[in-house]
Amino acid sequence: EHPEVDIELQKRSFADMISGLANSELEVGYFLSRGPVPERESFLAWEERMAFFAGTAHPLAGRAHVEPADLSGLPFAYLPARSHLRSVIDSILEDLGVQGCPAALTSDDHMLIVENLAAGRGFGCLFSDWMDRPVREGTLARLAFSLPVPAVQVRYTVRSAYRSDRTVASLLEALNLAR
């Protein structure tokens, strides 16, 4: 509908996205969070379900119920501390009462995390829908956690100069529906 508009997608850290919006390098930014953030006004686009996963040979993989105490102290696949999503997942663990988990692995490489979990090296808190294939193939098992694991929100923010722009509004509508 708008051939005069160029759309460039960039993967940036949360801090770089906030900086890019402040410095007029970006018009729109999407990020993961558990709700509004103090750094920037944002809006909910959609939610991603989360769940705990481990390799199929993990001792908790076949259990009918897994409690927070069962996971506390077990090796966990962490994201690097510099990652905004790390603090989001850490807050999920804290809210659920899962604590004292040493690092089984620290990486932002999704495939490396899945491979390590499949090899029996700890458990992880991952996007539920993204794990359908490894679960179906018998690589990973979704742990039967006794409490609902909070979803992660995909939020977006728009530079103030573009908040009333109809073309940007049309793009946001398309992106938020296309997920």
Side-chain angles (χ1 to χ4, degrees):
E1 291 181 33
H2 301 277
E4 75 283 4
V5 175
D6 287 328
I7 299 173
E8 180 182 337
L9 300 176
Q10 298 177 1
K11 181 180 176 183
R12 293 187 176 204
S13 70
F14 178 77
D16 287 345
M17 181 201 64
I18 295 298
S19 174
L21 289 160
N23 295 322
S24 301
E25 298 167 5
L26 303 173
E27 285 75 39
V28 176
Y30 280 80
F31 62 94
L32 300 166
S33 180
R34 290 200 50 211
V37 295
E39 295 88 346
R40 183 100 188 164
E41 181 181 25
S42 64
F43 310 93
L44 176 64
W46 66 85
E47 291 187 328
E48 292 286 343
R49 294 179 304 137
M50 304 297 286
F52 292 117
F53 294 89
T56 54
H58 192 281
L60 298 177
R63 299 243 321 247
H65 292 86
V66 176
E67 299 294 329
D70 297 328
L71 295 177
S72 293
L74 293 181
F76 184 77
Y78 286 100
L79 292 168
R82 72 185 186 304
S83 165
H84 178 73
L85 185 55
R86 162 77 179 256
S87 64
V88 172
I89 292 176
D90 284 351
S91 74
I92 289 172
L93 293 174
E94 183 179 328
D95 287 355
L96 294 173
V98 177
Q99 53 193 324
C101 297
L105 167 75
T106 302
S107 176
D108 57 6
D109 182 327
H110 178 75
M111 292 308 299
L112 183 62
I113 291 171
V114 169
E115 289 170 7
N116 274 268
L117 295 180
R121 297 184 195 104
F123 74 101
C125 183
L126 304 169
F127 295 103
S128 183
D129 292 342
W130 295 12
M131 297 297 102
D132 285 345
R133 185 175 179 184
V135 168
R136 212 175 33 254
E137 293 173 349
T139 306
L140 291 182
R142 180 181 176 148
L143 300 181
F145 196 65
S146 61
L147 302 170
V149 178
V152 170
Q153 294 181 352
V154 177
R155 299 187 68 82
Y156 67 95
T157 183
V158 180
R159 196 157 50 95
S160 57
Y162 290 88
R163 287 193 182 154
S164 60
D165 185 284
R166 286 201 265 194
T167 304
V168 170
S170 180
L171 173 65
L172 290 170
E173 183 180 347
L175 290 173
N176 294 345
L177 291 176
R179 66 165 194 94

